[in-house]
Amino acid sequence: MKMVTNTVQASQASIPRSEYPRPDWQRADWLNLNGAWSFAFDHEDQGLAADWHTSKGQPLTSEITVPFSWSSPLSGIGSNDKGIAWYNKEVEWTPGTSDSRVFLRFGAVDYKSDIWVNGVSIGNHSGGYGTFEFDVTDVWSLAGRNSITVRVEDFDHNYQARGKQGYGEIRGIWQPVWLEARPQNYVRDSKFTTSIDGVIQVTTTVIAQKAGKAELSFIFAEGAVTHKAEAELTEGSNVIQAAFVIAEPKLWSPESPYLYEGEVLLSSNGQHDSIRTYFGVREISTAVVGDRSYRWITLNGKPVYLNGTLDQSFHPTGFFTYPSDQEMQDEIFLMKRLGLNFVRIHIKPEEPRKLYWADKLGILVMEDMPCFWGDPDEQARQFYENEAREVIDRDYNHPSIFSWVMFNETWGLKTESAASSLTTDVTYPNNYLPQTQEWVRSMYHWAKEVDPTRIVEDNSPCNYDHVESDLNTWHFYINGYNELRSHVTEVVEKTHPGSTFNYIGGNEQSDAPLMNSECGNVWGIEGGAGESDLAWHYRYMMNEFRRHDKMCGFVFTEFRDVVNEYNGYYRLDGTDKHFGYEWFVPGMTVADLHSPDFIVIDAPPCQTLNAGANVTIDLLRSSFDDRYHGQSLQLAWELWYDQIGTRVVTDSANQTVEWNGFGVDTLSTLHLKMPNQDAVAVLAVRLLTPQGVTLTRNFITFDVRSGQTGGKYEADGQIVSVPVASFSESEWAYSWNALQEQKANGGETGHFTYDVQLPTAAEQAAIYDIELIFEASSKRLLKRNLEGGIQKKPDISFMHGALDEPEYNLNTYYMTDSKRHEGKLNVLIDGEPVETIILSDNPADSRGVLSWHYQAVSNKLEEAGSYGYLCKVLLPSTLTSKLNASRSFKLQLAAEHGGLALYGRNAGRYPIDIIVHCKG
């Protein structure tokens, strides 16, 4: 194989991730080393003995694209081989200023790396997530080519902090590599500690090659904020403390992410070290508000409700390395358009550039430490502590980061972990040993000591096993309204100072804020939720959270789908899922459920009621923003239903609400009267400003039943109802009924035929018009429909990237998204074609009210949320004349392609069977 030699000139061509990797600490004189490097695996570990580090890449016969993990497609290697690999790149570069020092910097390399420059060893590093650098001045050639060689070992040892790499492995160099010039005396870092009174404290470390006087300047906001400090440098490391005050500071928040951008300038020995950086003025804390006995999370001295999501930061091509800077920006945009104000980066620190965009665009970040998967022995603890130190040191200045999470779900904390489950303690309840609990406590206190400005959580638990924490969080994955409501209520009631609930080893709760740190329905379904609608569950879960004054936030699992979990707000490629809320309340989106000012409807998502029944509904107000406190807001509500395609409002009102104070309080009770017919009725509520701007929307539904055979509907003439499962004949390659015989499915081509009896002449003397009305969609055949389903129990293999086949999952029914499965339906009467209908999709989302309401059990899904389109066919008058005489006909509904699903009275979104409306 031909040897690959990669040389980069200063005027290099376009390369991946060409932007400066650390906008939070940026020098002007640098060279990006991303792009093509020579590469080879060394499975036999021959490279060291064969002096590959002195061979300028000659034995390395492949080419890899840095900064992508060698297992990822974008690397050009795409191999998940663990073990040893070598990199080499030849570089020509001279700093712009003479007498500069040259540094070789690595964003992150997984796991153990040894580095040589021009055949000379310059150092090594262990740890997969921390940034590191080497001063290579003494071995760097300013006059010619320089050979950079990196040897990487990644064996997935149990002591390695690996996080959740199962979706795609991080192997080798996976963050940018660059060269950087600095003067002889330079600033290693400056740590900014801010307070909302404008006092800024800065701890700066200066590395001096030459002793002498120096001036340290802080210049921000285009010179509006300046401060200078004099220092006497000694050779080596110097720590300089400085403080200054900003008059009337602009505070950083997700709504107003103001950054004080500028530079730190060191002047010494006639040289200048200028670093572009920034800080945000904000304070994160917890506080008791009013006469409560528990704390809330506060931002800048005010309570904040945390609407958050779990972010795996995974991409199908770059894995955990973002393919481009634009995609990092887009991620923050996609979160904020949902009304989210924070994100939990799951079991890993985020790339610095994405943290920059979180700072710049405004979203709070809960950043996890990466976990190891073996036993918490001395070696694992040592490597973990080193890595945690690197993470906090690197990311200290990001105003977006409000919390450090030291451990997740006791992963890496269980002795004899190979025997016990990593997520449950049923079989091995004592594997989380007391001495390990004390180590976790020590890590909590260590993090508080090195960074007292942020909230620290010991362990984000799914086994109720906190030790000591600034946040009292818990995880749950429960499907079903009653089950979820009972669970959340129980957690809230058991949360109070002195309670041992959610704590382990005899430890007790403090008054720490209660919030959820993982929730959803992907693990709450037997066999996993597959690919299914999450919109129905999500709305009532948000409603239940906001019902409790003690709750101050949540983390929804998750932001985007990943390789074996399909419970994201978005698909893995970032495309939309459609929640369907706008059908219930015009203009409603997911963001309405994340409003800091919220209307809680204290009722189930759907109730079965008799036609004409009276019902009372309690409303609550939940406020975590003082913008409208002291003002009179408007609460607008209406009760409406769909009358076979016509929207009918039966009652409505607009009432004034005095909007005072934080937290949850009662509002008025609504007294509603249901329609006097079969209907899906909707209570839609909106909260408006005095200017008429809508702040939030919410809704619940009612299945109203007349009890009349065939249903009762407001219509002239007579109604004949034909159950969808009562077909007299069908012809399909694949056909079955679902939802307790309330839905008929067929695919991909074929037909259902029904024998229809019209009213007799005695019942209706003349029939002048006949209209067919039914609910139908196309039918996408899944592998389980063709080959049979597989009920796979979700286990820890999913965390390690075990690929799921969602189409075999018995719970799968694809949620509505941008992809369409179109069907073509022909309607025939006595064999005569009368209409062709294009069925645009096979959707499932919150609009499938009846398909959700009549699920047999909460933890198994049967075509949940599926629904169709209201189809109306007016028969030609010539045909109606014949039928007036015969008083019967054969109705054939035939799919030309795309399959067919027909929805009966208790399925879909319309409470109808096949209706034959006969008008006299």
Side-chain angles (χ1 to χ4, degrees):
M1 189 177 291
K2 184 180 178 181
M3 183 192 75
V4 179
T5 301
N6 299 309
T7 302
V8 176
Q9 305 293 335
S11 57
Q12 57 194 327
S14 176
I15 58 175
R17 298 290 302 273
S18 58
E19 66 283 344
Y20 190 83
R22 293 287 304 275
D24 58 309
W25 195 253
Q26 181 168 353
R27 289 182 171 87
D29 195 1
W30 70 289
L31 179 71
N32 195 315
L33 298 182
N34 292 345
W37 288 56
S38 301
F39 178 85
F41 287 114
D42 184 12
H43 294 310
E44 303 302 322
D45 194 12
Q46 299 172 345
L48 284 174
D51 294 330
W52 286 9
H53 53 285
T54 64
S55 60
K56 297 185 178 181
Q58 292 179 13
L60 312 186
T61 55
S62 298
E63 182 176 279
I64 190 170
T65 300
V66 169
F68 302 107
S69 160
W70 75 58
S71 64
S72 73
L74 283 180
S75 71
I77 302 298
S79 170
N80 195 34
D81 288 20
K82 65 176 70 172
I84 301 171
W86 290 72
Y87 297 73
N88 179 264
K89 194 176 194 71
E90 291 199 9
V91 181
E92 294 180 10
W93 188 62
T94 302
T97 302
S98 61
D99 196 30
S100 292
R101 305 201 67 79
V102 178
F103 282 79
L104 176 60
R105 306 193 65 185
F106 294 86
V109 180
D110 193 9
Y111 181 73
K112 183 180 183 299
S113 54
D114 294 275
I115 297 93
W116 295 263
V117 172
N118 296 327
V120 178
S121 174
I122 61 168
N124 58 70
H125 179 266
S126 293
Y129 294 89
T131 185
F132 58 97
E133 65 184 31
F134 302 100
D135 186 339
V136 300
T137 308
D138 295 340
V139 296
W140 191 260
S141 172
L142 301 178
R145 290 185 179 181
N146 294 269
S147 175
I148 301 173
T149 303
V150 181
R151 178 184 182 272
V152 178
E153 292 184 13
D154 187 12
F155 285 102
D156 295 346
H157 292 302
N158 284 339
Y159 63 80
Q160 289 182 210
R162 300 189 62 244
K164 198 173 180 181
Q165 293 187 28
Y167 304 127
E169 293 292 334
I170 296 171
R171 301 207 185 278
I173 299 172
W174 69 281
Q175 288 190 28
V177 185
W178 70 105
L179 290 166
E180 184 174 281
R182 303 176 191 172
Q184 294 295 317
N185 295 346
Y186 64 90
V187 181
R188 190 187 72 184
D189 59 48
S190 289
K191 288 185 168 62
F192 293 85
T193 301
T194 69
S195 56
I196 58 176
D197 60 4
V199 175
I200 313 299
Q201 298 178 335
V202 191
T203 300
T204 299
T205 301
V206 173
I207 306 299
Q209 300 294 325
K210 300 177 182 178
K213 294 184 180 300
E215 182 179 78
L216 189 62
S217 301
F218 303 94
I219 308 165
F220 292 91
E222 298 180 345
V225 176
T226 61
H227 178 75
K228 293 184 179 181
E230 302 291 334
E232 186 71 36
L233 300 180
T234 60
E235 189 174 326
S237 180
N238 300 263
V239 177
I240 302 171
Q241 301 287 350
F244 53 90
V245 178
I246 301 175
E248 300 180 357
K250 298 180 181 179
L251 304 184
W252 186 96
S253 69
E255 297 75 28
S256 180
Y258 184 83
L259 297 177
Y260 283 87
E261 300 179 84
E263 69 172 332
V264 174
L265 177 64
L266 175 69
S267 301
S268 63
N269 294 314
Q271 293 183 324
H272 303 284
D273 187 21
S274 175
I275 306 101
R276 296 291 304 176
T277 186
Y278 61 85
F279 60 87
V281 180
R282 62 100 179 93
E283 286 185 23
I284 294 290
S285 188
T286 66
V288 174
V289 179
D291 59 359
R292 294 169 177 82
S293 61
Y294 45 86
R295 290 176 176 267
W296 282 336
I297 298 168
T298 60
L299 173 62
N300 298 329
K302 296 180 180 181
V304 59
Y305 190 87
L306 295 176
N307 294 284
T309 187
L310 195 75
D311 189 0
Q312 308 286 5
S313 300
F314 176 78
H315 301 266
T317 56
F319 290 178
F320 293 94
T321 308
Y322 283 82
S324 70
D325 186 56
Q326 185 61 51
E327 291 187 60
M328 298 187 208
Q329 298 181 55
D330 292 346
E331 293 241 322
I332 306 302
F333 169 80
L334 290 173
M335 291 175 190
K336 295 200 69 167
R337 72 179 288 272
L338 298 176
L340 301 176
N341 60 2
F342 105 94
V343 58
R344 180 183 173 198
I345 307 300
H346 198 35
I347 327 181
K348 65 182 285 289
E350 190 53 275
E351 282 202 64
R353 277 205 71 91
K354 186 175 172 185
L355 292 173
Y356 162 72
W357 288 115
D359 298 336
K360 186 75 172 176
L361 301 178
I363 197 159
L364 289 162
V365 173
M366 174 182 277
E367 186 162 272
D368 289 14
M369 299 298 119
C371 71
F372 52 89
W373 289 86
D375 283 11
D377 56 27
E378 185 177 350
Q379 185 179 30
R381 294 182 186 191
Q382 176 186 343
F383 279 100
Y384 170 87
E385 290 174 14
N386 291 341
E387 202 132 12
R389 186 177 296 106
E390 288 179 334
V391 170
I392 294 179
D393 186 61
R394 187 197 72 175
D395 294 341
Y396 185 92
N397 281 339
H398 290 286
S400 58
I401 297 176
F402 76 92
S403 174
W404 305 115
V405 180
M406 306 311 291
F407 298 95
N408 177 75
E409 293 187 344
T410 61
W411 294 356
L413 299 180
K414 295 182 181 179
T415 300
E416 298 179 5
S417 57
S420 66
S421 166
L422 292 175
T423 56
T424 62
D425 282 318
V426 175
T427 308
Y428 295 86
N430 301 314
N431 286 58
Y432 185 14
L433 302 180
Q435 56 265 39
T436 307
Q437 297 167 28
E438 291 309 308
W439 177 61
V440 169
R441 190 195 310 276
S442 73
M443 294 311 301
Y444 160 79
H445 283 289
W446 168 82
K448 294 290 291 179
E449 181 180 352
V450 298
D451 185 4
T453 70
R454 289 184 172 92
I455 296 170
V456 177
E457 186 170 13
D458 60 340
N459 172 46
S460 191
C462 69
N463 295 315
Y464 307 115
D465 47 9
H466 278 300
V467 175
E468 185 174 357
S469 179
D470 293 340
L471 289 177
N472 188 3
T473 77
W474 90 107
H475 300 178
F476 75 89
Y477 294 95
I478 294 174
N479 197 62
Y481 168 74
N482 290 324
E483 293 82 355
L484 183 141
R485 180 183 175 97
S486 297
H487 173 75
V488 174
T489 300
E490 178 186 15
V491 170
V492 170
E493 291 176 349
K494 289 181 176 179
T495 298
H496 54 80
S499 171
T500 58
F501 174 73
N502 204 21
Y503 279 68
I504 195 171
N507 293 289
E508 296 180 351
Q509 295 182 17
S510 65
D511 59 355
L514 173 67
M515 67 172 287
N516 168 268
S517 51
E518 281 189 37
C519 62
N521 62 346
V522 66
W523 302 108
I525 305 295
E526 184 176 315
E531 286 224 32
S532 58
D533 164 50
L534 56 89
W536 182 256
H537 170 99
Y538 190 79
R539 194 212 61 79
Y540 67 68
M541 184 168 66
M542 294 299 100
N543 196 73
E544 284 304 302
F545 286 165
R546 296 300 291 268
R547 192 168 68 89
H548 297 283
D549 187 82
K550 201 175 288 185
M551 283 279 293
C552 58
F554 67 91
V555 177
F556 175 69
T557 307
E558 53 208 324
F559 170 53
R560 296 201 297 189
D561 293 348
V562 287
V563 296
N564 52 24
E565 296 175 9
Y566 310 98
N567 48 311
Y569 295 108
Y570 299 98
R571 292 291 180 192
L572 178 55
D573 61 4
T575 55
D576 291 319
K577 295 181 181 180
H578 300 301
F579 286 62
Y581 297 150
E582 69 281 359
W583 190 69
F584 302 93
V585 193
M588 183 173 176
T589 68
V590 180
D592 284 282
L593 301 176
H594 303 147
S595 172
D597 293 302
F598 188 80
I599 299 297
V600 177
I601 306 176
D602 195 5
C606 187
Q607 300 178 59
T608 299
L609 297 173
N610 293 328
N614 294 302
V615 63
T616 59
I617 301 295
D618 292 329
L619 301 181
L620 309 173
R621 61 177 293 279
S622 173
S623 179
F624 279 85
D625 192 324
D626 61 0
R627 285 179 300 172
Y628 302 105
H629 290 180
Q631 297 188 35
S632 298
L633 302 184
Q634 296 297 309
L635 176 64
W637 64 268
E638 65 179 16
L639 182 69
W640 71 273
Y641 69 96
D642 183 277
Q643 167 54 37
I644 313 181
T646 301
R647 192 175 193 272
V648 178
V649 177
T650 65
D651 199 1
S652 64
N654 195 319
Q655 59 193 59
T656 299
V657 177
E658 300 304 322
W659 205 255
N660 298 313
F662 289 102
V664 179
D665 205 350
T666 57
L667 290 174
S668 58
T669 297
L670 302 184
H671 300 275
L672 308 176
K673 183 178 179 62
M674 293 296 108
N676 195 32
Q677 66 168 74
D678 285 82
V680 170
V682 179
L683 171 64
V685 301
R686 294 183 299 142
L687 182 68
L688 300 92
T689 69
Q691 295 75 34
V693 176
T694 300
L695 298 176
T696 186
R697 303 167 178 87
N698 203 354
F699 69 90
I700 57 170
T701 62
F702 307 89
D703 177 28
V704 183
R705 307 185 72 92
S706 66
Q708 183 172 310
T709 301
K712 179 182 179 182
Y713 307 96
E714 186 178 315
D716 296 332
Q718 295 207 37
I719 291 287
V720 175
S721 288
V722 181
V724 297
S726 68
F727 45 84
S728 58
E729 187 228 338
S730 70
E731 184 177 312
W732 304 91
Y734 301 93
S735 177
W736 70 99
N737 296 335
L739 294 170
Q740 297 86 52
E741 301 295 303
Q742 291 294 307
K743 182 181 177 183
N745 296 299
E748 170 169 290
T749 61
H751 65 266
F752 293 110
T753 300
Y754 299 87
D755 294 327
V756 179
Q757 291 296 132
L758 299 177
T760 65
E763 294 169 327
Q764 186 170 346
I767 301 175
Y768 293 125
D769 291 293
I770 298 176
E771 185 176 32
L772 306 177
I773 305 171
F774 56 91
E775 182 179 353
S777 72
S778 62
K779 181 60 188 176
R780 176 180 179 178
L781 294 179
L782 306 178
K783 290 179 181 178
R784 65 179 168 85
N785 305 136
L786 304 176
E787 305 170 26
I790 299 173
Q791 195 75 1
K792 178 176 173 56
K793 182 179 180 180
D795 55 28
I796 203 65
S797 67
F798 283 86
M799 303 295 184
H800 291 300
L803 291 178
D804 185 24
E805 281 278 8
E807 291 203 358
Y808 288 110
N809 191 306
L810 298 178
N811 299 301
T812 289
Y813 203 104
Y814 288 102
M815 185 173 177
T816 316
D817 60 14
S818 56
K819 296 179 182 177
R820 295 285 184 260
H821 179 81
E822 185 180 281
K824 187 175 183 180
L825 172 64
N826 294 316
V827 181
L828 300 90
I829 303 295
D830 291 334
E832 179 181 338
V834 296
E835 186 70 87
T836 296
I837 300 171
I838 300 300
L839 300 171
S840 61
D841 199 11
N842 182 197
D845 54 56
S846 62
R847 286 168 280 197
V849 173
L850 298 170
S851 295
W852 270 115
H853 186 49
Y854 289 104
Q855 288 292 301
V857 292
S858 63
N859 64 342
K860 293 182 181 179
L861 302 182
E862 184 187 14
E863 307 196 2
S866 60
Y867 66 95
Y869 307 96
L870 191 65
C871 302
K872 294 186 176 183
V873 179
L874 184 63
L875 302 190
S877 56
T878 53
L879 182 56
T880 303
S881 176
K882 296 178 184 180
L883 299 182
N884 180 60
S886 66
R887 297 294 169 134
S888 67
F889 64 90
K890 285 187 178 293
L891 168 65
Q892 188 175 94
L893 300 176
E896 189 171 322
H897 64 75
L900 175 64
L902 298 172
Y903 298 81
R905 168 61 182 81
N906 294 348
R909 61 173 159 172
Y910 300 101
I912 59 172
D913 289 307
I914 299 171
I915 286 179
V916 183
H917 184 195
C918 304
K919 300 178 184 178

